[in-house]
Amino acid sequence: VTTAAQAQPSNGPQILTSDVTRFYALYDATAGKPTVEQIQQDYLAKATPSLIEFAKLRRVTAQSIADRIAKDPAMYEKAKACMAVLPQVRTRLTASFSTFAQVYPDARFPPVAILVGRGKPVGTANRDGLYIGLEALCAADFMNPDLEDRFVHVIAHEYGHVQQPGPEFEEGDPSVTVLRVSLLEGVAELIAELTSGSVGNPGLTRWTDGREAEIESASVRDMDSTDLSKWAYNYRAGSDEPYDMGYWVGYRIAKAYYLGSDDRKAALRQLIDLQDP
């Protein structure tokens, strides 16, 4: 049975923005300083199912949003302008999703919800949808300086996660090793490249070019560790230290496996299922 989430994306991706519209109506009405109570009553209490799920997945509350607005008001002001790129992003993603359906016939295409959160994460996904934090992605110049490209490639990356089975993992779980996380993220990067023309975060090459053997050897030494701190989810705002090297290592592994396979559709299915890293 083909569900709406699995149907061929003939009309392009469904991009949901009503939560953002409602947030910025409140934001403008309060001169950019909504109270905790106003955020709760006029934004979260009227949430779409997508926002409800995003808030649950990423611990988004009225208090956490208000705290981040107070700490970084420019982030939320900048995000308003980012909405202007969405029509062209949708056009480009229509082509990307069509390519994805060709290389991975089992692909699911649930809605992409653009939301406003607490400044992070840039994106998260589960089997039912893809959730993009507008203010976080707009601020992520370090990933890709071109805003339109950034949206397209990050959404393509996150759509890789939509395909992956299993619930969200908790850090410290003995099965959540450096190798597993590197491959989970690396496969999503491969899918982004195959479908949109680039990995989600091309900026990592500034640290990896010419250091391939060094980085990959270090990854092999740490691959069974459950300490992810050197390899994933370790970007620090304002720092120029390398981060998310596991994404790059996992992408290299996944791409080599995919390109070396006689049956690339089967190889991609195996990479997405990731039964045994």
Side-chain angles (χ1 to χ4, degrees):
V1 177
T2 300
T3 67
Q6 294 169 315
Q8 296 295 316
S10 57
N11 297 318
Q14 184 181 13
I15 298 180
L16 309 176
T17 59
S18 61
D19 289 303
V20 167
T21 300
R22 194 174 61 261
F23 176 85
Y24 275 105
L26 170 63
Y27 181 89
D28 289 341
T30 58
K33 297 180 180 179
T35 65
V36 174
E37 292 75 17
Q38 288 170 324
I39 294 170
Q40 179 59 43
Q41 292 174 9
D42 295 330
Y43 180 54
L44 293 178
K46 300 176 182 178
T48 64
S50 295
L51 179 53
I52 291 170
E53 185 68 8
F54 179 68
K56 182 175 69 174
L57 287 172
R58 292 305 187 190
R59 300 182 298 281
V60 173
T61 65
Q63 185 68 60
S64 69
I65 294 173
D67 288 348
R68 192 57 188 263
I69 292 173
K71 180 180 179 181
D72 194 355
M75 172 184 280
Y76 290 84
E77 189 64 32
K78 179 181 178 182
K80 289 175 61 178
C82 289
M83 293 295 291
V85 305
L86 290 181
Q88 185 59 26
V89 167
R90 185 185 187 281
T91 297
R92 290 175 60 183
L93 286 173
T94 300
S96 295
F97 285 19
S98 179
T99 300
F100 196 13
Q102 295 171 28
V103 300
Y104 186 60
D106 295 333
R108 298 165 54 84
F109 297 98
V112 179
I114 310 295
L115 309 158
V116 176
R118 56 184 177 87
K120 60 180 182 181
V122 163
T124 191
N126 59 20
R127 300 285 282 177
D128 298 319
L130 174 57
Y131 316 97
I132 297 294
L134 177 70
E135 79 294 346
L137 186 53
C138 284
D141 298 328
F142 58 90
M143 295 181 71
N144 190 322
D146 185 285
L147 184 61
E148 185 182 305
D149 284 348
R150 193 187 317 158
F151 266 81
V152 170
H153 302 318
V154 166
I155 288 173
H157 170 100
E158 294 296 338
Y159 248 88
H161 290 315
V162 168
Q163 318 306 320
Q164 293 169 331
E168 287 254 320
F169 60 78
E170 293 292 334
E171 291 188 38
D173 182 317
S175 70
V176 182
T177 62
V178 168
L179 179 60
R180 178 177 290 277
V181 170
S182 296
L183 284 172
L184 283 169
E185 298 295 354
V187 169
E189 286 288 69
L190 173 64
I191 289 171
E193 182 178 68
L194 291 175
T195 60
S196 73
S198 172
V199 296
N201 189 356
L204 297 183
T205 57
R206 77 188 105 161
W207 295 296
T208 57
D209 285 353
R211 297 183 56 214
E212 291 85 356
E214 173 192 345
I215 296 168
E216 290 173 344
S217 295
S219 177
V220 170
R221 289 193 295 271
D222 287 352
M223 68 180 185
D224 294 324
S225 172
T226 58
D227 180 2
L228 307 179
S229 62
K230 291 189 293 184
W231 296 101
Y233 319 131
N234 57 347
Y235 172 73
R236 296 189 304 279
S239 171
D240 197 43
E241 289 296 309
Y243 67 95
D244 284 351
M245 291 291 98
Y247 282 56
W248 178 86
V249 171
Y251 158 76
R252 295 260 291 187
I253 296 169
K255 185 173 183 177
Y257 186 77
Y258 177 79
L259 293 179
S261 174
D262 293 331
D263 184 342
R264 290 184 178 177
K265 288 182 179 178
L268 190 56
R269 186 178 303 111
Q270 188 176 10
L271 287 166
I272 288 170
D273 289 343
L274 200 64
Q275 295 299 311
D276 184 352

